[in-house]
Amino acid sequence: MHGLPGAGKTCSRHLLLNEDPPSSTDSTPIACPAVKATRISVDDKNKKWERVEVKDLYDQLASHLKEVPNETELEQKKDEASLNLDDIFDSSDDIFDSSDEDEIDDKTDDEPIEIKPIEKKPVENEQTEINPTKVNPTETEVVKKVMNAETSKNFSTNWVYFIDSGGQPAYRELLPLFTRAAALNIITIDLTKGLDEKCEFQYRIDQHVSPINTDLKYSNRDIICSTVSSEAMLNSIEIPYVAEPEKHKGIHARYLVLGTRKELVTEEELKEMDKSLISSSSLDLKNIIQRVPEKSIIFPVNTLLRGGSDERKKASIDLCTAISNCELEITIELPIRLLTFEIALQLEAMKNKQSFLTKEEVIEIGKSLRLDTKSDINDALQYLHNVTIILYYPAVLPNIIFVDPKPILDVLSRLIAITYIDQSNLHLIAKASDERIRLKKYGLFKEGLLEKIGQQKIFDKNFESSHMIKLLEHLHIIAKVINKDEKQNEYFFPCALPSCDKLNDPPTEIQPLLIAWEINNSGTATLAIPQGLFPLTIVHLLKEKNVVDFSPDPDSDNEFYRYHDAMSLRVYKDHFIHIINCYTHIKIQFRGNYKNSCLKIRELVTEAIEKSCKDLKCKNNYIFAFLKCPKKEHYCIVRKDDKSSPWYSHCTHCETQCKVLENDDSYRCWFFSESLLSSPGAEPLLEGPPTKRPTVQSSELDTCHLVEIRDLLKKHGYSGVDYYDLGLRLGLLPATLDVIEKDNKGDTKSCLRKCLTEWLEQKDNVKSKGVPTYDTLIQALRDEGENTVADGIEKDINSNKSRLSTLDTKK
């Protein structure tokens, strides 16, 4: 559920479940129940949703037990096959027991089960088998509860994960990292604000309201368009173990626009809003659910109807019916053993009064469900991480499983919120600390600040604040920096910074480059970027040590930025770039007139964007553009011809092509090298990678040629998989290559780029193999058996040399 702060998301959640409206609400954190969604049962016959309590789960399983007392051999095989693991999910023992009001469950089929004693399997492999210890007492306790349960109530097996998200700007940026792709996005708008009225952001805590110091303002139309376009960039929804996968392949999210406070607007006002939205050229309507027979897209509701009244019950049924009719039901063949494993983990965490479990505790629970090997446990945890609220990050925190992520998300949410509220209300969310001033001004904090956030203690000997730091670094939410004065670590957290209140005029020597996604709607192209992309990109860039660093303090030079939507960075030691989040696109401005470095900078930034796309699970089919056309918000889009690999420009809003790359160096420098920029008469669409003039194979290369070398390798089919061996041939030492491999584990593209950079910078024994030239590169490729790649590069270099020599003669 998306929406601006105060739009009525939480009240709408209560209405869906026909529960009384809340007497008061605080600002929702990044997600609340924050990734931990509401467990409900969908009753299609009676058109209502209701929350499933603990006793109801016992009744449900007891009903299965009495209806089908003996599970057939065929059903056992079916139960096992649906997970494709060896004999680990064929029976169930542990049942969820919770006093928490807001819980989550996964989708399950209606398979009969038999509660029966667990037989321990003999140890087959001492290296992978978990040593048997005493059986968890939960096992017999839960079985007893099921056997004694009433069976009067039987719930539908339609289940829904419900996520009420936070509306603050920084929370919206972080939300995609902690949630899974949604089948349905409910976009909540306040009808009293109109479509285009800009809403100011406020933070509410314990009935205190603090205005957020930001010039970023969203209207209802903005939030609708932003949510629809951002979700359109995500990869198709992929849910493991879905029945009939071909039928659901490529399924896309749907959207429902929910208008709250309908009692305060007239029918005419509502019709005008609908008409304006439907005719909006920037909104793709094909996946937005419409009301029939009205043929409108806003579903108006009064979320504050009196609790228990017939009017509230009817409004709840009407809303549930609209959602149930969106035709997004997906059947999942969920093994009962896997469901009970999740329930058992939650039960154990609540007994320990913790939000997490250690790996040892999880292994002990797994044994009672015949999850006997470490691989069985890991496979089950990975599944739960993919489709439930449980979070597991074995790469950085292999011994911690977050059964309830709400406390850690609350800490992260309040780390941002302490920059919003004034000193007099600080005690409501954190202990007093002067560190928040440094966090708000520079985006920097020390680990100790985490201990002061929140009203409940979540850190202990098993889960320390250092673990939280590791997790935030792993998710690329923060970047480690060295405080040179105190010689200790600080962490840069861009989401905690305020927004930029004023942007300087962009440079003209080098035109700003725009990076965005092209959203096509009925022949009209608009630009957009995925939610959360900008802060991730900044963190990825700052992790490029010795390449990217902070710019000078904006207080000492007002030409620089350090805000959550505008950042200035020092790159390659001598250059400064400004990266600005325009929310429809990211803008890169190059300070100075260093046209020969634009290629390197474009690749540096786009690699960070590609890594961010991977984090967000969104498509990386971004485009480049320039704000060239005189008409407002019209763009000149740069494209690449796959046949001959030239860059060309095209404006979708003009009858004639905007050929800015043909004759204007302030644009061309982002795509062509210095040799072509300095030759006005040369063809800008020269096939093959451009090189500096004069171009001969024996000319020494440096890091300015990095982009050209990588383009050559890619063009002629070099995958980069054997970058380690190539590096050895070029004179790099194993120690250097080991560090590259460790720092870029699993990222072949980054490993190759770093390897080539070290070679061009003449590290280690490079000179002993000959200074960096195309000759030495070609020879190293031949020595590695990459003759086809070497031949192709040699041909291109000679071809470019011949062509440029001809141009010189004509001149």
Side-chain angles (χ1 to χ4, degrees):
M1 179 168 278
H2 307 268
L4 296 170
K9 298 185 296 297
T10 302
C11 291
S12 299
R13 173 166 61 88
H14 282 259
L15 179 63
L16 271 167
L17 297 175
N18 194 24
E19 298 172 342
D20 292 349
S23 56
S24 63
T25 59
D26 291 337
S27 283
T28 304
I30 293 168
C32 183
V35 177
K36 183 174 186 178
T38 305
R39 174 190 284 142
I40 62 177
S41 172
V42 182
D43 185 345
D44 287 329
K45 181 179 179 180
N46 297 311
K47 300 299 181 186
K48 67 178 182 178
W49 293 7
E50 60 183 309
R51 195 186 302 270
V52 177
E53 305 293 353
V54 178
K55 182 178 179 298
D56 299 323
L57 286 173
Y58 291 141
D59 292 347
Q60 176 82 348
L61 291 177
S63 174
H64 281 299
L65 179 64
K66 291 186 177 182
E67 287 176 9
V68 188
N70 293 303
E71 189 176 33
T72 67
E73 182 180 351
L74 177 62
E75 287 164 341
Q76 289 179 6
K77 288 182 179 179
K78 179 184 177 184
D79 194 29
E80 293 171 5
S82 55
L83 230 188
N84 197 25
L85 295 175
D86 295 333
D87 191 33
I88 60 172
F89 295 128
D90 58 345
S91 63
S92 173
D93 299 286
D94 293 335
I95 310 302
F96 183 66
D97 187 5
S98 169
S99 57
D100 193 337
E101 247 187 14
D102 296 303
E103 297 300 330
I104 188 170
D105 208 327
D106 199 34
K107 203 167 189 179
T108 178
D109 58 7
D110 208 10
E111 287 193 63
I113 63 170
E114 177 187 359
I115 304 297
K116 52 189 177 183
I118 299 297
E119 296 180 4
K120 295 297 176 182
K121 293 195 301 186
V123 176
E124 298 175 358
N125 187 336
E126 293 184 357
Q127 291 183 339
T128 59
E129 195 81 16
I130 297 171
N131 293 328
T133 59
K134 64 179 182 179
V135 176
N136 194 311
T138 303
E139 180 181 316
T140 53
E141 173 190 342
V142 174
V143 171
K144 193 178 295 183
K145 285 185 178 181
V146 173
M147 296 301 293
N148 294 329
E150 301 289 338
T151 59
S152 57
K153 196 170 186 179
N154 195 0
F155 282 87
S156 161
T157 53
N158 294 312
W159 303 89
V160 175
Y161 285 91
F162 202 114
I163 301 168
D164 183 3
S165 67
Q168 310 299 343
Y171 294 175
R172 282 175 53 79
E173 298 283 3
L174 292 171
L175 178 67
L177 293 172
F178 295 101
T179 57
R180 311 297 177 251
L184 176 67
N185 293 274
I186 300 177
I187 307 170
T188 309
I189 63 173
D190 180 353
L191 295 175
T192 65
K193 302 294 184 183
L195 275 183
D196 297 303
E197 178 185 343
K198 298 293 183 180
C199 306
E200 295 185 358
F201 289 97
Q202 295 180 329
Y203 181 81
R204 302 185 311 277
I205 181 69
D206 198 18
Q207 304 308 299
H208 295 273
V209 178
S210 298
I212 297 177
N213 182 24
T214 175
D215 279 349
L216 171 64
K217 295 182 178 67
Y218 268 95
S219 65
N220 281 331
R221 191 191 304 273
D222 292 334
I223 201 72
I224 294 170
C225 293
S226 171
T227 301
V228 173
S229 61
S230 186
E231 292 289 324
M233 296 171 224
L234 296 176
N235 293 318
S236 299
I237 298 170
E238 292 183 4
I239 302 175
Y241 315 124
V242 64
E244 300 181 89
E246 289 301 318
K247 177 181 176 182
H248 297 99
K249 189 174 182 180
I251 184 172
H252 291 284
R254 302 289 299 278
Y255 307 90
L256 185 142
V257 180
L258 189 67
T260 62
R261 301 184 175 93
K262 81 165 187 177
E263 69 278 11
L264 300 178
V265 298
T266 66
E267 283 294 324
E268 285 303 314
E269 289 173 322
L270 186 58
K271 286 180 181 179
E272 283 300 315
M273 290 186 201
D274 257 318
K275 183 179 178 182
S276 179
L277 278 177
I278 291 173
S279 62
S280 176
S281 62
S282 59
L283 188 62
D284 189 349
L285 299 176
K286 67 176 179 291
N287 289 317
I288 297 180
I289 299 168
Q290 296 193 18
R291 272 197 303 155
V292 290
E294 295 91 341
K295 292 184 179 180
S296 60
I297 62 175
I298 299 177
F299 286 72
V301 293
N302 178 1
T303 61
L304 299 180
L305 290 167
R306 182 171 54 84
S309 65
D310 290 340
E311 292 87 353
R312 187 172 182 86
K313 182 177 179 181
K314 181 179 183 304
S316 176
I317 291 175
D318 288 346
L319 185 54
C320 293
T321 302
I323 295 174
S324 297
N325 289 340
C326 70
E327 299 179 349
L328 272 176
E329 183 177 271
I330 300 172
T331 302
I332 296 177
E333 297 177 344
L334 177 68
I336 293 176
R337 174 82 66 91
L338 194 59
L339 173 63
T340 54
F341 181 56
E342 176 196 0
I343 293 171
L345 296 182
Q346 294 176 346
L347 175 60
E348 188 68 20
M350 282 183 290
K351 283 186 175 181
N352 297 342
K353 296 182 179 180
Q354 290 180 324
S355 60
F356 63 90
L357 295 174
T358 65
K359 190 66 171 290
E360 291 75 15
E361 291 170 321
V362 170
I363 289 173
E364 181 71 16
I365 292 170
K367 286 186 302 182
S368 68
L369 297 171
R370 279 194 250 171
L371 295 169
D372 296 320
T373 68
K374 291 181 180 179
S375 63
D376 290 344
I377 292 285
N378 289 333
D379 288 344
L381 287 175
Q382 190 59 57
Y383 172 83
L384 296 179
H385 173 89
N386 289 340
V387 298
T388 76
I389 63 167
I390 290 174
L391 297 180
Y392 179 48
Y393 301 97
V396 287
L397 298 176
N399 295 317
I400 300 174
I401 293 86
F402 297 101
V403 178
D404 176 7
K406 187 176 184 298
I408 64 169
L409 288 184
D410 282 349
V411 168
L412 187 56
S413 299
R414 294 188 174 203
L415 187 62
I416 298 171
I418 62 174
T419 68
Y420 296 156
I421 65 175
D422 57 40
Q423 186 70 34
S424 61
N425 293 326
L426 179 61
H427 66 281
L428 298 173
I429 60 173
K431 297 178 182 177
S433 173
D434 292 337
E435 291 181 68
R436 80 178 189 124
I437 304 301
R438 186 163 173 79
L439 177 64
K440 184 175 182 178
K441 187 173 182 179
Y442 299 108
L444 297 170
F445 73 95
K446 297 175 185 174
E447 181 185 318
L449 184 60
L450 296 180
E451 300 273 5
K452 302 174 183 178
I453 302 296
Q455 295 175 313
Q456 61 176 339
K457 180 178 175 61
I458 69 167
F459 300 120
D460 65 11
K461 64 179 182 179
N462 292 316
F463 179 52
E464 302 173 352
S465 56
S466 61
H467 294 136
M468 183 77 171
I469 291 291
K470 281 184 179 180
L471 177 60
L472 297 182
E473 283 192 282
H474 174 69
L475 296 174
H476 309 296
I477 292 173
I478 62 175
K480 181 166 64 176
V481 296
I482 303 296
N483 186 320
K484 296 178 181 178
D485 296 331
E486 300 180 18
K487 294 183 179 179
Q488 69 177 105
N489 292 335
E490 282 190 302
Y491 299 92
F492 180 62
F493 183 27
C495 288
L497 291 167
S499 68
C500 182
D501 55 357
K502 182 182 178 182
L503 291 172
N504 300 312
D505 293 334
T508 56
E509 298 90 349
I510 299 175
Q511 290 292 333
L513 177 67
L514 313 185
I515 302 178
W517 277 249
E518 188 178 6
I519 306 297
N520 290 300
N521 177 32
S522 302
T524 302
T526 57
L527 300 186
I529 59 171
Q531 183 177 302
L533 181 78
F534 186 78
L536 283 177
T537 299
I538 297 300
V539 170
H540 275 297
L541 284 169
L542 286 168
K543 289 187 175 183
E544 292 287 334
K545 304 299 182 184
N546 302 319
V547 176
V548 180
D549 203 351
F550 290 107
S551 66
D553 188 341
D555 288 343
S556 63
D557 188 336
N558 60 14
E559 292 296 316
F560 295 104
Y561 309 111
R562 191 183 289 196
Y563 302 97
H564 80 245
D565 53 358
M567 191 72 57
S568 299
L569 298 171
R570 184 195 300 268
V571 294
Y572 299 113
K573 299 180 182 179
D574 300 320
H575 305 317
F576 293 98
I577 59 172
H578 310 305
I579 305 181
I580 300 167
N581 186 2
C582 299
Y583 295 93
T584 57
H585 57 271
I586 290 176
K587 182 190 296 183
I588 307 172
Q589 296 177 351
F590 199 161
R591 188 184 183 192
N593 193 17
Y594 305 96
K595 293 186 175 69
N596 61 325
S597 297
C598 286
L599 276 172
K600 282 203 309 181
I601 288 171
R602 176 168 66 82
E603 183 179 71
L604 180 70
V605 175
T606 52
E607 281 201 2
I609 286 177
E610 288 173 3
K611 291 176 181 177
S612 300
C613 289
K614 186 177 180 181
D615 297 334
L616 297 171
K617 296 180 176 59
C618 68
K619 303 169 185 174
N620 65 352
N621 55 335
Y622 54 84
I623 53 97
F624 301 109
F626 295 104
L627 188 57
K628 173 66 176 176
C629 292
K631 296 180 182 179
K632 186 179 180 182
E633 299 301 318
H634 286 185
Y635 307 95
C636 176
I637 296 174
V638 180
R639 304 190 185 281
K640 197 169 187 179
D641 190 329
D642 292 334
K643 295 180 180 179
S644 55
S645 298
W647 291 101
Y648 66 95
S649 52
H650 172 67
C651 179
T652 57
H653 295 83
C654 298
E655 293 181 2
T656 58
Q657 293 264 5
C658 294
K659 300 180 179 180
V660 298
L661 297 185
E662 276 197 7
N663 50 23
D664 192 335
D665 289 351
S666 64
Y667 295 93
R668 293 170 63 205
C669 57
W670 291 104
F671 298 93
F672 299 99
S673 66
E674 187 180 34
S675 62
L676 291 176
L677 294 177
S678 60
S679 303
E683 296 180 29
L685 305 183
L686 180 66
E687 185 174 356
T691 55
K692 286 188 176 183
R693 189 172 57 160
T695 305
V696 293
Q697 284 181 231
S698 58
S699 297
E700 187 172 329
L701 305 174
D702 57 28
T703 52
C704 291
H705 298 84
L706 179 60
V707 176
E708 300 166 14
I709 294 169
R710 293 195 61 194
D711 284 347
L712 273 171
L713 290 168
K714 182 178 180 181
K715 177 183 178 183
H716 295 290
Y718 184 69
S719 66
V721 173
D722 299 326
Y723 73 89
Y724 196 108
D725 293 330
L726 179 63
L728 293 174
R729 297 282 186 188
L730 294 171
L732 298 178
L733 295 175
T736 299
L737 293 164
D738 288 341
V739 171
I740 292 174
E741 185 175 40
K742 181 180 178 182
D743 291 346
N744 303 277
K745 190 173 183 180
D747 189 347
T748 302
K749 188 176 180 181
S750 294
C751 287
L752 177 60
R753 176 178 56 78
K754 188 62 177 175
C755 176
L756 292 171
T757 301
E758 299 284 78
W759 172 59
L760 292 170
E761 291 178 350
Q762 302 188 30
K763 298 291 181 65
D764 300 341
N765 296 333
V766 167
K767 289 184 179 179
S768 68
K769 302 287 185 177
V771 295
T773 65
Y774 281 114
D775 271 340
T776 53
L777 176 63
I778 290 168
Q779 186 57 51
L781 288 167
R782 293 196 191 284
D783 292 342
E784 281 302 306
E786 298 282 356
N787 292 322
T788 302
V789 179
D791 290 344
I793 293 175
E794 188 171 39
K795 181 180 178 180
D796 271 359
I797 296 300
N798 289 332
S799 175
N800 279 350
K801 179 183 70 172
S802 174
R803 175 172 286 193
L804 290 172
S805 297
T806 303
L807 289 173
D808 283 340
T809 302
K810 288 181 179 179
K811 186 176 179 180

